[in-house]
Amino acid sequence: MSFLDEHVARFNAGVRSGDWGPMVEHFAPEAKMEFRGIAVGPFVGREAIAEAYRNQPPDDEMRVLEQRDEGDRIEARYAWLAEPDVAAGELFITREARLIIGLVVTFDRGVTWGDE
């Protein structure tokens, strides 16, 4: 399973259970999470990220439509389970070893890559 697949599995488990701990523990202590297209954040530090998920938990599971893995940087288009074939936006993950040090999530419905 790829790094991104593992992150998405932990995210989806958090949506189902309400327990964000297993997902958040894979963020570095100094990680930064930013959302583009909605007016929240940014969140700096693992504790701030955990609080963000506790205070405003997502209500739908995520599905990866396609991804590009360039070593320590991963880019992906994602969809919500409610509309599994419609891109909801993009994810940009920067990692160091097995921890996320940066996560940018865009909300850009219908975003495409290449000649779709």
Side-chain angles (χ1 to χ4, degrees):
M1 186 178 290
S2 75
F3 186 87
L4 179 60
D5 292 337
E6 291 172 2
H7 173 71
V8 171
R10 287 189 295 268
F11 174 90
N12 289 342
V15 170
R16 289 187 301 272
S17 70
D19 179 5
W20 297 99
M23 185 198 72
V24 172
E25 72 186 23
H26 286 88
F27 281 84
E30 69 283 355
K32 181 177 180 184
M33 181 174 71
E34 177 184 347
F35 295 103
R36 296 182 186 160
I38 60 172
V40 298
F43 303 96
V44 179
R46 184 185 290 151
E47 294 305 315
I49 293 168
E51 184 176 343
Y53 278 99
R54 281 192 305 272
N55 291 342
Q56 293 183 312
D59 62 358
D60 199 357
E61 293 184 38
M62 179 185 302
R63 174 178 178 245
V64 174
L65 299 173
E66 61 184 313
Q67 65 181 307
R68 299 176 185 139
D69 190 338
E70 300 178 12
D72 290 340
R73 181 170 165 85
I74 301 165
E75 301 173 358
R77 283 188 328 124
Y78 73 93
W80 299 117
L81 193 57
E83 289 186 284
D85 297 319
V86 178
E90 296 173 289
L91 302 173
F92 302 95
I93 296 175
T94 306
R95 67 182 182 174
E96 188 172 280
R98 299 296 299 164
L99 295 177
I100 296 170
I101 58 173
L103 173 61
V104 176
V105 181
T106 72
F107 293 83
D108 187 12
R109 190 173 192 282
V111 65
T112 61
W113 286 358
D115 298 314
E116 293 182 64

